[in-house]
Amino acid sequence: MLVRLDKWLWVARFYKSRSLAREMVEGGKVHYNGQRSKPSKIVEVGAILTLRQGLDQKTIQILAISEQRKTATEAQQLYLETPDSIVKREAMAQARKLNALTMPHPDRRPDKKERRDLIKFKYNRQQGDNN
């Protein structure tokens, strides 16, 4: 069975649409056996794909090829994520969580007086750096 890379990524439910999968391949976000490729590349069983989904990067091995998009559980049978990739992805997720805890966002935007104070503080700090 001959299936294009962009279509396989859509069937395996990595991307919501085939056009989005094509854009990711063309943009260099998907590597086929360690190299950039075209969306029309014919996928083979056993090939290694490295792809980016949001902030996560996954390395998977193709186990099966399908032309029809099916349920998510059936789509997961088409590939296997490497153990090294799982460990790296979980470590990055943990680092993002820790970073969010150390740099919390304020509950609200500053009001007019607080904004003026911030601008004054930044201006005085910049003036001190130049002297």
Side-chain angles (χ1 to χ4, degrees), residues 58-90:
K58 295 180 180 179
T59 303
I60 61 163
Q61 181 179 10
I62 298 176
L63 298 179
I65 297 173
S66 177
E67 288 183 331
Q68 293 182 337
R69 188 172 166 109
K70 297 180 182 173
T71 64
T73 53
E74 291 179 39
Q76 288 177 346
Q77 304 302 316
L78 298 177
Y79 63 91
L80 177 68
E81 187 172 1
T82 62
D84 186 39
S85 173
I86 295 170
V87 170
K88 283 182 184 177
R89 198 164 41 85
E90 289 174 351

PDB file of all heavy atoms in Angstrom, residues 58-90:
ATOM      1  N   LYS A  58       8.370  14.420  19.345  1.00  0.00           N
ATOM      2  CA  LYS A  58       8.207  12.976  19.483  1.00  0.00           C
ATOM      3  C   LYS A  58       9.037  12.254  18.440  1.00  0.00           C
ATOM      4  O   LYS A  58       9.177  12.725  17.315  1.00  0.00           O
ATOM      5  CB  LYS A  58       6.743  12.574  19.294  1.00  0.00           C
ATOM      6  CG  LYS A  58       5.813  13.102  20.341  1.00  0.00           C
ATOM      7  CD  LYS A  58       4.392  12.640  20.068  1.00  0.00           C
ATOM      8  CE  LYS A  58       3.445  13.174  21.114  1.00  0.00           C
ATOM      9  NZ  LYS A  58       2.068  12.755  20.867  1.00  0.00           N
ATOM     10  N   THR A  59       9.565  11.097  18.814  1.00  0.00           N
ATOM     11  CA  THR A  59      10.243  10.217  17.881  1.00  0.00           C
ATOM     12  C   THR A  59       9.446   8.921  17.873  1.00  0.00           C
ATOM     13  O   THR A  59       9.279   8.284  18.916  1.00  0.00           O
ATOM     14  CB  THR A  59      11.690   9.949  18.312  1.00  0.00           C
ATOM     15  OG1 THR A  59      12.364  11.204  18.435  1.00  0.00           O
ATOM     16  CG2 THR A  59      12.411   9.089  17.311  1.00  0.00           C
ATOM     17  N   ILE A  60       8.953   8.546  16.701  1.00  0.00           N
ATOM     18  CA  ILE A  60       8.105   7.357  16.596  1.00  0.00           C
ATOM     19  C   ILE A  60       8.609   6.437  15.505  1.00  0.00           C
ATOM     20  O   ILE A  60       9.362   6.849  14.616  1.00  0.00           O
ATOM     21  CB  ILE A  60       6.636   7.745  16.303  1.00  0.00           C
ATOM     22  CG1 ILE A  60       6.544   8.490  14.968  1.00  0.00           C
ATOM     23  CG2 ILE A  60       6.036   8.562  17.416  1.00  0.00           C
ATOM     24  CD1 ILE A  60       5.159   8.555  14.408  1.00  0.00           C
ATOM     25  N   GLN A  61       8.197   5.174  15.600  1.00  0.00           N
ATOM     26  CA  GLN A  61       8.496   4.196  14.563  1.00  0.00           C
ATOM     27  C   GLN A  61       7.170   3.765  13.943  1.00  0.00           C
ATOM     28  O   GLN A  61       6.207   3.480  14.663  1.00  0.00           O
ATOM     29  CB  GLN A  61       9.215   2.985  15.149  1.00  0.00           C
ATOM     30  CG  GLN A  61       9.556   1.957  14.118  1.00  0.00           C
ATOM     31  CD  GLN A  61      10.301   0.772  14.718  1.00  0.00           C
ATOM     32  OE1 GLN A  61      10.393   0.640  15.919  1.00  0.00           O
ATOM     33  NE2 GLN A  61      10.816  -0.077  13.856  1.00  0.00           N
ATOM     34  N   ILE A  62       7.118   3.716  12.625  1.00  0.00           N
ATOM     35  CA  ILE A  62       5.900   3.320  11.918  1.00  0.00           C
ATOM     36  C   ILE A  62       5.755   1.804  11.997  1.00  0.00           C
ATOM     37  O   ILE A  62       6.648   1.063  11.589  1.00  0.00           O
ATOM     38  CB  ILE A  62       5.926   3.790  10.454  1.00  0.00           C
ATOM     39  CG1 ILE A  62       5.999   5.322  10.393  1.00  0.00           C
ATOM     40  CG2 ILE A  62       4.712   3.269   9.695  1.00  0.00           C
ATOM     41  CD1 ILE A  62       6.132   5.882   9.003  1.00  0.00           C
ATOM     42  N   LEU A  63       4.611   1.348  12.530  1.00  0.00           N
ATOM     43  CA  LEU A  63       4.342  -0.085  12.642  1.00  0.00           C
ATOM     44  C   LEU A  63       3.402  -0.589  11.548  1.00  0.00           C
ATOM     45  O   LEU A  63       3.475  -1.759  11.159  1.00  0.00           O
ATOM     46  CB  LEU A  63       3.720  -0.400  14.006  1.00  0.00           C
ATOM     47  CG  LEU A  63       4.562  -0.091  15.230  1.00  0.00           C
ATOM     48  CD1 LEU A  63       3.786  -0.433  16.490  1.00  0.00           C
ATOM     49  CD2 LEU A  63       5.874  -0.848  15.187  1.00  0.00           C
ATOM     50  N   ALA A  64       2.497   0.276  11.099  1.00  0.00           N
ATOM     51  CA  ALA A  64       1.533  -0.138  10.080  1.00  0.00           C
ATOM     52  C   ALA A  64       1.159   1.067   9.229  1.00  0.00           C
ATOM     53  O   ALA A  64       1.367   2.211   9.620  1.00  0.00           O
ATOM     54  CB  ALA A  64       0.291  -0.717  10.741  1.00  0.00           C
ATOM     55  N   ILE A  65       0.596   0.779   8.069  1.00  0.00           N
ATOM     56  CA  ILE A  65       0.199   1.831   7.144  1.00  0.00           C
ATOM     57  C   ILE A  65      -1.295   1.677   6.863  1.00  0.00           C
ATOM     58  O   ILE A  65      -1.791   0.568   6.655  1.00  0.00           O
ATOM     59  CB  ILE A  65       1.007   1.744   5.834  1.00  0.00           C
ATOM     60  CG1 ILE A  65       2.487   1.961   6.141  1.00  0.00           C
ATOM     61  CG2 ILE A  65       0.507   2.747   4.820  1.00  0.00           C
ATOM     62  CD1 ILE A  65       3.402   1.749   4.974  1.00  0.00           C
ATOM     63  N   SER A  66      -1.988   2.795   6.863  1.00  0.00           N
ATOM     64  CA  SER A  66      -3.414   2.806   6.573  1.00  0.00           C
ATOM     65  C   SER A  66      -3.739   4.024   5.725  1.00  0.00           C
ATOM     66  O   SER A  66      -3.069   5.049   5.820  1.00  0.00           O
ATOM     67  CB  SER A  66      -4.209   2.834   7.871  1.00  0.00           C
ATOM     68  OG  SER A  66      -5.584   2.914   7.607  1.00  0.00           O
ATOM     69  N   GLU A  67      -4.782   3.909   4.919  1.00  0.00           N
ATOM     70  CA  GLU A  67      -5.218   5.028   4.085  1.00  0.00           C
ATOM     71  C   GLU A  67      -6.439   5.716   4.658  1.00  0.00           C
ATOM     72  O   GLU A  67      -6.769   6.818   4.253  1.00  0.00           O
ATOM     73  CB  GLU A  67      -5.552   4.541   2.666  1.00  0.00           C
ATOM     74  CG  GLU A  67      -4.362   4.156   1.854  1.00  0.00           C
ATOM     75  CD  GLU A  67      -4.746   3.747   0.445  1.00  0.00           C
ATOM     76  OE1 GLU A  67      -5.875   3.249   0.254  1.00  0.00           O
ATOM     77  OE2 GLU A  67      -3.927   3.935  -0.457  1.00  0.00           O
ATOM     78  N   GLN A  68      -7.126   5.052   5.597  1.00  0.00           N
ATOM     79  CA  GLN A  68      -8.364   5.591   6.133  1.00  0.00           C
ATOM     80  C   GLN A  68      -8.172   6.050   7.571  1.00  0.00           C
ATOM     81  O   GLN A  68      -7.578   5.354   8.385  1.00  0.00           O
ATOM     82  CB  GLN A  68      -9.468   4.539   6.097  1.00  0.00           C
ATOM     83  CG  GLN A  68      -9.881   4.166   4.694  1.00  0.00           C
ATOM     84  CD  GLN A  68     -11.009   3.149   4.702  1.00  0.00           C
ATOM     85  OE1 GLN A  68     -11.187   2.430   5.662  1.00  0.00           O
ATOM     86  NE2 GLN A  68     -11.751   3.102   3.608  1.00  0.00           N
ATOM     87  N   ARG A  69      -8.709   7.226   7.862  1.00  0.00           N
ATOM     88  CA  ARG A  69      -8.666   7.769   9.214  1.00  0.00           C
ATOM     89  C   ARG A  69      -9.739   7.077  10.049  1.00  0.00           C
ATOM     90  O   ARG A  69     -10.912   7.067   9.697  1.00  0.00           O
ATOM     91  CB  ARG A  69      -8.909   9.277   9.164  1.00  0.00           C
ATOM     92  CG  ARG A  69      -8.702   9.977  10.475  1.00  0.00           C
ATOM     93  CD  ARG A  69      -8.777  11.466  10.223  1.00  0.00           C
ATOM     94  NE  ARG A  69      -8.908  12.227  11.445  1.00  0.00           N
ATOM     95  CZ  ARG A  69      -7.949  12.980  11.961  1.00  0.00           C
ATOM     96  NH1 ARG A  69      -6.787  13.068  11.367  1.00  0.00           N
ATOM     97  NH2 ARG A  69      -8.157  13.653  13.067  1.00  0.00           N
ATOM     98  N   LYS A  70      -9.314   6.498  11.174  1.00  0.00           N
ATOM     99  CA  LYS A  70     -10.245   5.760  12.029  1.00  0.00           C
ATOM    100  C   LYS A  70     -10.200   6.338  13.436  1.00  0.00           C
ATOM    101  O   LYS A  70      -9.762   7.460  13.635  1.00  0.00           O
ATOM    102  CB  LYS A  70      -9.876   4.276  12.012  1.00  0.00           C
ATOM    103  CG  LYS A  70     -10.008   3.663  10.615  1.00  0.00           C
ATOM    104  CD  LYS A  70      -9.653   2.219  10.609  1.00  0.00           C
ATOM    105  CE  LYS A  70      -9.764   1.678   9.180  1.00  0.00           C
ATOM    106  NZ  LYS A  70      -9.288   0.338   9.056  1.00  0.00           N
ATOM    107  N   THR A  71     -10.643   5.568  14.391  1.00  0.00           N
ATOM    108  CA  THR A  71     -10.688   6.054  15.771  1.00  0.00           C
ATOM    109  C   THR A  71      -9.279   6.257  16.315  1.00  0.00           C
ATOM    110  O   THR A  71      -8.302   5.725  15.783  1.00  0.00           O
ATOM    111  CB  THR A  71     -11.431   5.057  16.680  1.00  0.00           C
ATOM    112  OG1 THR A  71     -10.693   3.840  16.721  1.00  0.00           O
ATOM    113  CG2 THR A  71     -12.838   4.811  16.178  1.00  0.00           C
ATOM    114  N   ALA A  72      -9.187   7.004  17.409  1.00  0.00           N
ATOM    115  CA  ALA A  72      -7.887   7.306  18.009  1.00  0.00           C
ATOM    116  C   ALA A  72      -7.189   6.041  18.502  1.00  0.00           C
ATOM    117  O   ALA A  72      -5.969   5.915  18.385  1.00  0.00           O
ATOM    118  CB  ALA A  72      -8.063   8.295  19.152  1.00  0.00           C
ATOM    119  N   THR A  73      -7.944   5.104  19.053  1.00  0.00           N
ATOM    120  CA  THR A  73      -7.318   3.867  19.543  1.00  0.00           C
ATOM    121  C   THR A  73      -6.747   3.051  18.391  1.00  0.00           C
ATOM    122  O   THR A  73      -5.676   2.447  18.533  1.00  0.00           O
ATOM    123  CB  THR A  73      -8.331   3.025  20.339  1.00  0.00           C
ATOM    124  OG1 THR A  73      -9.490   2.817  19.552  1.00  0.00           O
ATOM    125  CG2 THR A  73      -8.710   3.709  21.633  1.00  0.00           C
ATOM    126  N   GLU A  74      -7.438   3.040  17.259  1.00  0.00           N
ATOM    127  CA  GLU A  74      -6.920   2.331  16.087  1.00  0.00           C
ATOM    128  C   GLU A  74      -5.731   3.077  15.495  1.00  0.00           C
ATOM    129  O   GLU A  74      -4.801   2.456  14.978  1.00  0.00           O
ATOM    130  CB  GLU A  74      -8.012   2.160  15.042  1.00  0.00           C
ATOM    131  CG  GLU A  74      -9.109   1.195  15.463  1.00  0.00           C
ATOM    132  CD  GLU A  74     -10.195   1.065  14.429  1.00  0.00           C
ATOM    133  OE1 GLU A  74      -9.875   1.051  13.218  1.00  0.00           O
ATOM    134  OE2 GLU A  74     -11.364   0.992  14.830  1.00  0.00           O
ATOM    135  N   ALA A  75      -5.750   4.391  15.554  1.00  0.00           N
ATOM    136  CA  ALA A  75      -4.638   5.187  15.021  1.00  0.00           C
ATOM    137  C   ALA A  75      -3.367   4.949  15.832  1.00  0.00           C
ATOM    138  O   ALA A  75      -2.270   4.955  15.285  1.00  0.00           O
ATOM    139  CB  ALA A  75      -4.999   6.670  15.036  1.00  0.00           C
ATOM    140  N   GLN A  76      -3.503   4.726  17.143  1.00  0.00           N
ATOM    141  CA  GLN A  76      -2.330   4.488  17.983  1.00  0.00           C
ATOM    142  C   GLN A  76      -1.656   3.157  17.668  1.00  0.00           C
ATOM    143  O   GLN A  76      -0.496   2.955  18.031  1.00  0.00           O
ATOM    144  CB  GLN A  76      -2.718   4.539  19.454  1.00  0.00           C
ATOM    145  CG  GLN A  76      -3.034   5.933  19.927  1.00  0.00           C
ATOM    146  CD  GLN A  76      -3.501   5.965  21.374  1.00  0.00           C
ATOM    147  OE1 GLN A  76      -3.837   4.935  21.949  1.00  0.00           O
ATOM    148  NE2 GLN A  76      -3.518   7.154  21.939  1.00  0.00           N
ATOM    149  N   GLN A  77      -2.355   2.264  16.989  1.00  0.00           N
ATOM    150  CA  GLN A  77      -1.770   0.976  16.606  1.00  0.00           C
ATOM    151  C   GLN A  77      -0.849   1.115  15.396  1.00  0.00           C
ATOM    152  O   GLN A  77      -0.128   0.183  15.064  1.00  0.00           O
ATOM    153  CB  GLN A  77      -2.878  -0.040  16.281  1.00  0.00           C
ATOM    154  CG  GLN A  77      -3.880  -0.246  17.402  1.00  0.00           C
ATOM    155  CD  GLN A  77      -3.245  -0.717  18.695  1.00  0.00           C
ATOM    156  OE1 GLN A  77      -2.392  -1.594  18.679  1.00  0.00           O
ATOM    157  NE2 GLN A  77      -3.644  -0.117  19.797  1.00  0.00           N
ATOM    158  N   LEU A  78      -0.867   2.271  14.739  1.00  0.00           N
ATOM    159  CA  LEU A  78      -0.053   2.480  13.543  1.00  0.00           C
ATOM    160  C   LEU A  78       1.396   2.824  13.859  1.00  0.00           C
ATOM    161  O   LEU A  78       2.259   2.736  12.987  1.00  0.00           O
ATOM    162  CB  LEU A  78      -0.656   3.605  12.691  1.00  0.00           C
ATOM    163  CG  LEU A  78      -2.061   3.384  12.140  1.00  0.00           C
ATOM    164  CD1 LEU A  78      -2.521   4.626  11.396  1.00  0.00           C
ATOM    165  CD2 LEU A  78      -2.098   2.169  11.237  1.00  0.00           C
ATOM    166  N   TYR A  79       1.695   3.232  15.098  1.00  0.00           N
ATOM    167  CA  TYR A  79       3.041   3.680  15.436  1.00  0.00           C
ATOM    168  C   TYR A  79       3.385   3.315  16.870  1.00  0.00           C
ATOM    169  O   TYR A  79       2.511   2.948  17.671  1.00  0.00           O
ATOM    170  CB  TYR A  79       3.178   5.188  15.244  1.00  0.00           C
ATOM    171  CG  TYR A  79       2.276   6.006  16.144  1.00  0.00           C
ATOM    172  CD1 TYR A  79       2.706   6.432  17.392  1.00  0.00           C
ATOM    173  CD2 TYR A  79       0.991   6.340  15.747  1.00  0.00           C
ATOM    174  CE1 TYR A  79       1.874   7.168  18.217  1.00  0.00           C
ATOM    175  CE2 TYR A  79       0.160   7.069  16.563  1.00  0.00           C
ATOM    176  CZ  TYR A  79       0.606   7.483  17.791  1.00  0.00           C
ATOM    177  OH  TYR A  79      -0.215   8.210  18.619  1.00  0.00           O
ATOM    178  N   LEU A  80       4.670   3.436  17.193  1.00  0.00           N
ATOM    179  CA  LEU A  80       5.161   3.198  18.545  1.00  0.00           C
ATOM    180  C   LEU A  80       6.158   4.304  18.878  1.00  0.00           C
ATOM    181  O   LEU A  80       7.124   4.505  18.136  1.00  0.00           O
ATOM    182  CB  LEU A  80       5.842   1.828  18.637  1.00  0.00           C
ATOM    183  CG  LEU A  80       6.474   1.481  19.974  1.00  0.00           C
ATOM    184  CD1 LEU A  80       5.371   1.299  21.028  1.00  0.00           C
ATOM    185  CD2 LEU A  80       7.296   0.223  19.857  1.00  0.00           C
ATOM    186  N   GLU A  81       5.911   5.010  19.962  1.00  0.00           N
ATOM    187  CA  GLU A  81       6.840   6.061  20.374  1.00  0.00           C
ATOM    188  C   GLU A  81       8.030   5.424  21.084  1.00  0.00           C
ATOM    189  O   GLU A  81       7.857   4.527  21.910  1.00  0.00           O
ATOM    190  CB  GLU A  81       6.145   7.060  21.299  1.00  0.00           C
ATOM    191  CG  GLU A  81       7.009   8.255  21.623  1.00  0.00           C
ATOM    192  CD  GLU A  81       6.272   9.341  22.385  1.00  0.00           C
ATOM    193  OE1 GLU A  81       5.083   9.169  22.696  1.00  0.00           O
ATOM    194  OE2 GLU A  81       6.910  10.362  22.657  1.00  0.00           O
ATOM    195  N   THR A  82       9.228   5.881  20.771  1.00  0.00           N
ATOM    196  CA  THR A  82      10.427   5.292  21.364  1.00  0.00           C
ATOM    197  C   THR A  82      10.500   5.631  22.856  1.00  0.00           C
ATOM    198  O   THR A  82      10.051   6.708  23.275  1.00  0.00           O
ATOM    199  CB  THR A  82      11.696   5.797  20.661  1.00  0.00           C
ATOM    200  OG1 THR A  82      11.783   7.211  20.830  1.00  0.00           O
ATOM    201  CG2 THR A  82      11.690   5.457  19.188  1.00  0.00           C
ATOM    202  N   PRO A  83      11.054   4.735  23.674  1.00  0.00           N
ATOM    203  CA  PRO A  83      11.158   5.004  25.118  1.00  0.00           C
ATOM    204  C   PRO A  83      11.967   6.257  25.426  1.00  0.00           C
ATOM    205  O   PRO A  83      11.632   7.014  26.342  1.00  0.00           O
ATOM    206  CB  PRO A  83      11.866   3.754  25.668  1.00  0.00           C
ATOM    207  CG  PRO A  83      11.620   2.694  24.654  1.00  0.00           C
ATOM    208  CD  PRO A  83      11.512   3.384  23.336  1.00  0.00           C
ATOM    209  N   ASP A  84      13.020   6.500  24.661  1.00  0.00           N
ATOM    210  CA  ASP A  84      13.841   7.695  24.857  1.00  0.00           C
ATOM    211  C   ASP A  84      13.015   8.957  24.624  1.00  0.00           C
ATOM    212  O   ASP A  84      13.132   9.939  25.354  1.00  0.00           O
ATOM    213  CB  ASP A  84      15.038   7.652  23.900  1.00  0.00           C
ATOM    214  CG  ASP A  84      16.020   8.772  24.143  1.00  0.00           C
ATOM    215  OD1 ASP A  84      16.249   9.086  25.330  1.00  0.00           O
ATOM    216  OD2 ASP A  84      16.545   9.327  23.164  1.00  0.00           O
ATOM    217  N   SER A  85      12.157   8.925  23.609  1.00  0.00           N
ATOM    218  CA  SER A  85      11.300  10.064  23.304  1.00  0.00           C
ATOM    219  C   SER A  85      10.312  10.328  24.435  1.00  0.00           C
ATOM    220  O   SER A  85      10.058  11.482  24.795  1.00  0.00           O
ATOM    221  CB  SER A  85      10.543   9.799  21.998  1.00  0.00           C
ATOM    222  OG  SER A  85       9.587  10.793  21.754  1.00  0.00           O
ATOM    223  N   ILE A  86       9.753   9.279  25.010  1.00  0.00           N
ATOM    224  CA  ILE A  86       8.802   9.428  26.111  1.00  0.00           C
ATOM    225  C   ILE A  86       9.473  10.087  27.313  1.00  0.00           C
ATOM    226  O   ILE A  86       8.919  11.006  27.921  1.00  0.00           O
ATOM    227  CB  ILE A  86       8.203   8.056  26.498  1.00  0.00           C
ATOM    228  CG1 ILE A  86       7.365   7.506  25.348  1.00  0.00           C
ATOM    229  CG2 ILE A  86       7.376   8.159  27.767  1.00  0.00           C
ATOM    230  CD1 ILE A  86       6.926   6.071  25.526  1.00  0.00           C
ATOM    231  N   VAL A  87      10.685   9.633  27.633  1.00  0.00           N
ATOM    232  CA  VAL A  87      11.427  10.190  28.776  1.00  0.00           C
ATOM    233  C   VAL A  87      11.724  11.666  28.550  1.00  0.00           C
ATOM    234  O   VAL A  87      11.503  12.497  29.443  1.00  0.00           O
ATOM    235  CB  VAL A  87      12.730   9.394  29.013  1.00  0.00           C
ATOM    236  CG1 VAL A  87      13.620  10.082  30.026  1.00  0.00           C
ATOM    237  CG2 VAL A  87      12.399   7.982  29.455  1.00  0.00           C
ATOM    238  N   LYS A  88      12.193  12.017  27.356  1.00  0.00           N
ATOM    239  CA  LYS A  88      12.511  13.420  27.055  1.00  0.00           C
ATOM    240  C   LYS A  88      11.271  14.295  27.113  1.00  0.00           C
ATOM    241  O   LYS A  88      11.292  15.404  27.642  1.00  0.00           O
ATOM    242  CB  LYS A  88      13.148  13.538  25.661  1.00  0.00           C
ATOM    243  CG  LYS A  88      14.581  13.115  25.597  1.00  0.00           C
ATOM    244  CD  LYS A  88      15.125  13.314  24.195  1.00  0.00           C
ATOM    245  CE  LYS A  88      16.540  12.818  24.074  1.00  0.00           C
ATOM    246  NZ  LYS A  88      17.044  12.949  22.704  1.00  0.00           N
ATOM    247  N   ARG A  89      10.158  13.800  26.562  1.00  0.00           N
ATOM    248  CA  ARG A  89       8.923  14.571  26.539  1.00  0.00           C
ATOM    249  C   ARG A  89       8.395  14.815  27.954  1.00  0.00           C
ATOM    250  O   ARG A  89       7.973  15.920  28.287  1.00  0.00           O
ATOM    251  CB  ARG A  89       7.888  13.829  25.689  1.00  0.00           C
ATOM    252  CG  ARG A  89       6.739  14.663  25.235  1.00  0.00           C
ATOM    253  CD  ARG A  89       5.968  14.000  24.117  1.00  0.00           C
ATOM    254  NE  ARG A  89       5.758  12.578  24.255  1.00  0.00           N
ATOM    255  CZ  ARG A  89       4.758  12.022  24.941  1.00  0.00           C
ATOM    256  NH1 ARG A  89       3.889  12.775  25.554  1.00  0.00           N
ATOM    257  NH2 ARG A  89       4.633  10.716  24.993  1.00  0.00           N
ATOM    258  N   GLU A  90       8.452  13.793  28.805  1.00  0.00           N
ATOM    259  CA  GLU A  90       7.999  13.952  30.187  1.00  0.00           C
ATOM    260  C   GLU A  90       8.904  14.906  30.961  1.00  0.00           C
ATOM    261  O   GLU A  90       8.438  15.690  31.783  1.00  0.00           O
ATOM    262  CB  GLU A  90       7.920  12.595  30.883  1.00  0.00           C
ATOM    263  CG  GLU A  90       6.786  11.736  30.373  1.00  0.00           C
ATOM    264  CD  GLU A  90       6.785  10.336  30.950  1.00  0.00           C
ATOM    265  OE1 GLU A  90       7.768   9.962  31.634  1.00  0.00           O
ATOM    266  OE2 GLU A  90       5.801   9.615  30.720  1.00  0.00           O
TER     267      GLU A  90
END
